[in-house]
C-alpha cells in the first residue's frame, strides 16, 4: 500500500478531510466574557511572578497582597455579573470550544472558591503572631524556602528578614485550576485543571517557617500520593476515550445512554464496551475521591494537614473539597447518569467507610490539626450522602453543605494559628486545657465552630446536615442517613471533648499564650462566625440560591 493510500485511510477513518489549498484554518472561538473569572486570576498570578522578579524585596509583600486580594475580588465580581446576566440559568452554555461549562453549578462553586480563598489569604498575610525576628515581622512561611532546614543559608535569610512572598502567586495559580476543575466539560480539561491546582499546593505544604522537616515530609507524601491519584485519573480517561471515542462529557453520555448517532469506524470495536466504561469510570472516580479525602483514599489527609503551614491547611481543606465535589457532581450527573445504579453500591460503601472510619479514628487523636483533618474526612462522607441521592435536591444540598462547611473550616484553622508557645503553634490537645479561662473569647469562638462541625441546631452545620440527609432519604438512601446520624453522634463526642477541655480544665502554668492577631485574621474569624450563625438561624436564602444553581448544562 502506498504512503498516499495509508494517509487517506487514516484521515478518512478519523473523520478529518484534507484542507484545500485555498481553505483557511478557522481560529478557535473563545468567549472571553464568560471566562473572565478564570482569566483574571491567571493574569494576576502571572503578574505576581513578574513582581517576584522585578519589584524590590521590601515592597513585595504589600504588592503581592494587594494584587491577590484585588484579583479574587474582581474575579468574584465577574462571577456575580455572569450569574445576574442569566448564565446560571437561561443563558447557560459551553464556552472555549466546549471545554468549559458556564452554568449554575460552575458559577456557584467558582464564587464559593473565590470567597473562601479570599478569606484564607488573609491568614497567609498575617505577620503579628510570632515575635519580630531581627527587627522584621515574620509570617507562617519559611524565610527562604529553597534553603536546607537549619543551614547557614536559612539562618542568613532569617537575619536578613526575608519572606516567601511567592506563596501569593502560587495561591492564585491553585485557585485558577480550582475554578476550571468543577466547570470542565471534557476529561482532558479536567486533568489539566487537576494538575494546575495540585502542583502549587505541593509547594505550599513544604514552606512552613516552624517544623520545616515535618512540613517537607507532608509535601513529599502529598506529592507522591497525588501523583498516584493523577495516574489513576489519566488511565481512566484513556479507557473512557476508548469506550466513547471522545473525551467530551456530552459525547460519553450519548454513548452511555445509547443515543449516539454516528460511530467512529476506527473505534467501532471498542465503543460501547462496558468493561472499558466501568473500569475507566472507577479509575476517574478514584482520582476524584482522593482529592476530597474519602476513605480509603484519605491516608494523605491527616499527615498533610498536620505538617503544612496552618493557613495552607485551612485553604486546602476548603477550596480543594469544593472543587473536587464540583467535578464529582458533574461527572456523575452529566457524564454517567445512566450508571447511577451500577455505581450506587460502590458509592454507598465509600460513603459509609468515610463517615464511620473518620469519626472512629478521630476519637483517638491528640493533635488539634489531625483531629480537624479527620473531621474533614467525616464531612466528606456526609457530602457523599447528598451526591448519592441522584436527584436535583441532591445537587442543591451538596452545594449548600459546601457553603456551610467552608467558612467554618477556614475560621477554625484561623483560630488554631492564635494558640502558641515557644515552638510556634501549640497544636497538642493537652495544651488547650483551660484555654477558656485564659482567653474566653478565643475559646468561645472555637467552641462555636466545633458545635457547627457537630451539627448542633442553630448552627450552619445542622442546616447542612439536614439538607443532605433529607435529600439522601428522598433519593432512597435511608440506610445511609442512619449511618450518617450514628457517625454524627460519634463525631459529636470528640468535638464536645475539646470544648470540655477548654472550659472545664485547669490551665497549666506553662501553657500556651493566645497571640493578638492583625485585623486580617480577625476578619477571617469574624466572617467564619457570621456565616456559622446566619446559615444556622436563617439558611433559606442560601438554600434557594443553591436550588436555583442546581442545573447542569450538557
Amino acid at each position: 500500500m502506498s504512503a498516499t493510500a495509508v494517509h487517506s485511510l487514516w484521515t478518512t477513518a478519523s473523520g478529518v478531510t484534507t484542507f484545500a489549498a485555498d481553505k483557511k484554518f478557522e481560529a478557535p472561538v473563545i468567549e472571553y466574557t464568560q471566562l473572565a473569572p478564570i482569566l483574571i486570576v491567571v493574569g494576576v498570578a502571572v503578574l505576581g511572578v513578574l513582581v517576584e522578579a522585578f519589584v524590590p524585596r521590601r515592597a513585595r509583600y504589600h504588592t503581592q497582597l494587594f494584587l491577590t486580594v484585588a484579583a479574587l475580588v474582581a474575579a468574584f465580581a465577574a462571577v456575580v455579573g455572569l450569574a445576574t446576566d442569566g448564565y446560571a440559568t437561561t443563558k447557560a452554555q459551553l464556552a472555549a470550544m466546549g471545554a468549559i461549562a458556564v452554568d449554575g453549578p460552575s458559577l456557584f462553586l467558582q464564587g464559593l472558591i473565590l470567597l473562601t480563598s479570599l478569606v484564607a489569604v488573609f491568614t497567609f498575610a498575617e505577620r503579628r503572631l510570632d515575635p519580630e525576628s531581627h527587627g522584621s515581622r515574620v509570617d507562617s512561611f519559611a524565610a527562604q524556602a529553597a534553603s536546607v532546614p537549619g543551614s547557614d543559608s536559612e539562618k542568613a535569610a532569617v537575619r536578613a528578614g526575608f519572606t516567601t512572598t511567592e506563596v501569593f502567586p502560587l495561591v492564585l495559580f491553585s485557585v485558577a485550576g480550582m475554578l476550571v476543575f468543577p466547570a470542565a466539560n471534557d476529561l482532558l480539561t479536567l486533568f489539566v485543571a487537576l494538575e494546575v491546582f495540585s502542583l502549587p499546593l505541593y509547594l505550599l505544604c513544604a514552606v512552613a517557617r516552624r517544623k520545616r522537616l515535618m512540613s517537607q515530609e507532608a509535601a513529599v507524601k502529598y506529592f507522591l500520593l497525588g501523583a498516584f491519584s493523577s495516574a489513576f485519573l489519566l488511565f481512566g480517561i484513556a479507557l473512557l476515550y476508548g469506550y466513547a471515542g471522545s473525551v467530551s462529557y456530552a459525547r460519553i453520555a450519548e454513548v452511555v445512554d445509547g443515543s449516539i448517532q454516528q460511530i467512529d469506524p476506527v473505534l467501532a470495536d471498542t465503543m460501547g464496551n462496558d468493561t472499558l466504561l466501568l473500569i475507566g469510570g472507577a479509575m476517574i472516580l478514584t482520582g476524584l475521591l482522593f482529592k476530597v479525602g474519602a476513605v480509603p483514599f484519605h491516608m494523605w489527609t491527616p499527615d498533610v494537614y498536620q505538617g503544612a503551614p496552618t493557613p495552607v491547611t485551612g485553604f486546602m481543606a476548603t477550596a480543594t473539597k469544593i472543587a473536587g465535589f464540583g467535578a464529582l457532581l458533574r461527572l456523575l450527573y452529566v457524564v454517567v447518569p445512566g450508571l447511577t445504579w451500577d455505581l450506587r453500591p460502590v458509592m454507598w460503601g465509600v460513603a459509609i467507610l468515610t463517615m464511620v472510619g473518620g469519626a472512629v479514628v478521630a476519637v483517638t487523636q491528640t493533635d488539634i490539626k489531625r483531629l480537624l483533618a479527620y473531621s474533614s474526612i467525616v464531612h466528606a462522607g456526609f457530602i457523599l450522602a447528598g451526591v448519592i441521592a441522584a436527584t436535583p435536591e441532591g445537587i442543591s444540598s451538596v452545594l449548600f453543605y459546601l457553603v456551610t462547611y467552608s467558612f467554618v473550616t477556614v475560621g477554625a484553622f484561623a483560630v488554631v494559628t492564635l494558640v502558641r508557645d515557644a515552638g510556634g503553634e501549640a497544636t497538642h490537645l493537652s495544651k488547650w486545657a483551660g484555654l477558656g479561662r485564659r482567653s474566653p473569647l478565643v475559646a468561645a469562638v472555637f467552641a462555636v465552630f466545633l458545635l457547627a462541625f457537630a451539627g448542633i441546631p442553630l448552627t450552619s452545620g445542622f442546616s447542612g446536615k439536614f439538607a443532605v440527609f433529607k435529600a439522601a432519604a428522598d433519593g432512597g438512601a435511608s440506610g445511609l442517613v442512619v449511618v450518617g446520624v450514628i457517625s454524627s453522634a460519634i463525631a459529636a463526642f470528640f468535638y464536645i471533648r475539646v470544648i470540655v477541655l477548654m472550659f472545664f480544665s485547669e490551665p497549666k502554668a506553662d501553657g500556651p499564650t493566645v497571640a493578638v492577631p492583625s485585623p486580617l485574621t480577625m476578619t477571617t474569624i469574624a466572617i467564619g462566625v457570621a456565616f456559622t450563625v446566619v446559615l444556622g438561624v436563617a439558611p433559606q436564602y442560601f438554600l434557594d440560591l443553591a436550588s436555583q444553581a442546581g442545573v447542569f448544562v450538557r
Side-chain angles (χ1 to χ4, degrees):
M1 184 181 291
S2 66
T4 305
V6 172
H7 174 72
S8 174
L9 173 65
W10 277 106
T11 53
T12 304
S14 60
V16 178
T17 56
T18 307
F19 287 103
D22 60 343
K23 188 172 177 66
K24 294 182 180 179
F25 178 78
E26 293 184 7
V29 178
I30 305 296
E31 297 83 351
Y32 292 102
T33 302
Q34 286 89 298
L35 301 178
I38 301 167
L39 297 177
I40 290 170
V41 174
V42 172
V44 178
V46 173
L47 186 60
V49 174
L50 297 177
V51 166
E52 289 297 315
F54 296 108
V55 173
R57 188 181 293 274
R58 64 180 177 277
R60 287 180 197 167
Y61 167 79
H62 293 97
T63 305
Q64 294 282 28
L65 178 58
F66 172 77
L67 286 175
T68 303
V69 172
L72 295 173
V73 171
F76 180 74
V79 169
V80 173
L82 289 171
T84 54
D85 201 26
Y87 286 99
T89 51
T90 55
K91 290 186 181 178
Q93 66 178 70
L94 301 179
M97 305 294 286
I100 303 291
V102 183
D103 56 12
S106 65
L107 291 175
F108 186 95
L109 293 166
Q110 286 176 345
L112 183 56
I113 289 168
L114 290 165
L115 271 183
T116 53
S117 300
L118 177 63
V119 174
V121 160
F122 292 154
T123 62
F124 279 69
E126 178 60 62
R127 304 177 80 184
R128 290 191 186 174
L129 300 180
D130 273 318
E132 291 189 0
S133 175
H134 301 279
S136 302
R137 287 182 174 176
V138 297
D139 53 21
S140 299
F141 305 101
Q144 189 164 318
S147 299
V148 176
S151 65
D152 292 337
S153 62
E154 184 185 54
K155 294 173 183 175
V158 171
R159 286 194 298 271
F162 289 178
T163 54
T164 306
T165 49
E166 298 94 321
V167 297
F168 293 105
L170 284 174
V171 165
L172 287 180
F173 278 119
S174 186
V175 169
M178 292 174 186
L179 294 180
V180 176
F181 200 59
N185 194 55
D186 67 57
L187 294 173
L188 287 185
T189 305
L190 181 80
F191 178 73
V192 172
L194 173 70
E195 296 306 304
V196 169
F197 86 72
S198 295
L199 292 174
L201 287 176
Y202 301 151
L203 297 175
L204 288 170
C205 288
V207 295
R209 179 177 290 274
R210 308 272 191 158
K211 302 176 181 176
R212 290 287 313 281
L213 290 176
M214 181 185 287
S215 175
Q216 292 180 353
E217 178 190 352
V220 171
K221 287 179 178 177
Y222 192 20
F223 170 70
L224 291 176
L225 292 173
F228 275 118
S229 77
S230 296
F232 274 104
L233 187 74
L234 196 56
F235 199 7
I237 290 171
L239 293 176
L240 278 190
Y241 176 76
Y243 168 79
S246 173
V247 292
S248 166
Y249 284 5
R251 172 85 170 190
I252 297 170
E254 288 176 354
V255 179
V256 171
D257 61 26
S259 63
I260 188 167
Q261 300 296 322
Q262 184 177 358
I263 296 179
D264 194 328
V266 173
L267 297 169
D269 291 338
T270 58
M271 283 181 69
N273 186 328
D274 287 347
T275 303
L276 292 179
L277 172 64
L278 292 172
I279 297 176
M283 286 187 161
I284 292 177
L285 204 59
T286 298
L288 295 179
L289 290 173
F290 171 89
K291 278 300 166 191
V292 301
V295 178
F297 315 107
H298 70 292
M299 298 308 295
W300 61 277
T301 308
D303 290 341
V304 174
Y305 279 28
Q306 183 182 15
T310 304
V312 175
T313 306
F315 169 66
M316 192 166 51
T318 54
T320 53
K321 266 198 171 45
I322 299 168
F325 275 110
L328 187 62
L329 281 174
R330 192 172 295 276
L331 180 77
L332 294 177
Y333 284 78
V334 176
V335 184
V336 290
L339 282 186
T340 302
W341 291 104
D342 298 88
L343 294 176
R344 201 175 179 88
V346 177
M347 296 296 289
W348 267 63
V350 171
I352 291 171
L353 282 174
T354 304
M355 289 187 286
V356 176
V360 170
V361 179
V363 174
T364 66
Q365 300 305 307
T366 57
D367 184 275
I368 194 70
K369 288 175 73 175
R370 291 183 73 89
L371 188 146
L372 291 176
Y374 280 103
S375 167
S376 79
I377 292 170
V378 178
H379 286 282
F382 296 150
I383 300 172
L384 282 173
V387 173
I388 291 169
T391 60
E393 291 74 21
I395 299 173
S396 58
S397 70
V398 169
L399 297 180
F400 178 72
Y401 198 108
L402 289 171
V403 177
T404 64
Y405 167 81
S406 300
F407 291 99
V408 177
T409 303
V410 172
F413 279 107
V415 172
V416 171
T417 64
L418 304 183
V419 184
R420 312 181 80 82
D421 56 18
E425 293 165 359
T427 58
H428 198 278
L429 276 178
S430 63
K431 297 184 178 180
W432 287 60
L435 186 68
R437 302 186 185 185
R438 181 171 286 134
S439 183
L441 180 60
V442 171
V445 167
F446 197 62
V448 169
F449 292 140
L450 291 174
L451 292 174
F453 282 136
I456 302 301
L458 299 182
T459 65
S460 59
F462 175 78
S463 303
K465 283 183 184 176
F466 183 82
V468 292
F469 287 165
K470 182 178 184 301
D474 293 343
S478 301
L480 211 56
V481 175
V482 173
V483 176
V485 171
I486 294 171
S487 300
S488 296
I490 298 172
F493 167 76
F494 58 79
Y495 295 131
I496 302 299
R497 184 184 67 174
V498 177
I499 295 174
V500 170
L501 185 71
M502 290 192 297
F503 287 98
F504 298 99
S505 298
E506 288 294 328
K508 296 182 179 179
D510 58 344
T513 58
V514 176
V516 179
S518 72
L520 293 170
T521 299
M522 288 181 183
T523 302
T524 299
I525 296 172
I527 291 173
V529 172
F531 268 90
T532 301
V533 174
V534 170
L535 290 174
V537 175
Q540 194 58 48
Y541 171 76
F542 291 92
L543 283 167
D544 293 341
L545 196 64
S547 180
Q548 293 167 13
V551 181
F552 292 99
V553 65
R554 182 185 292 183

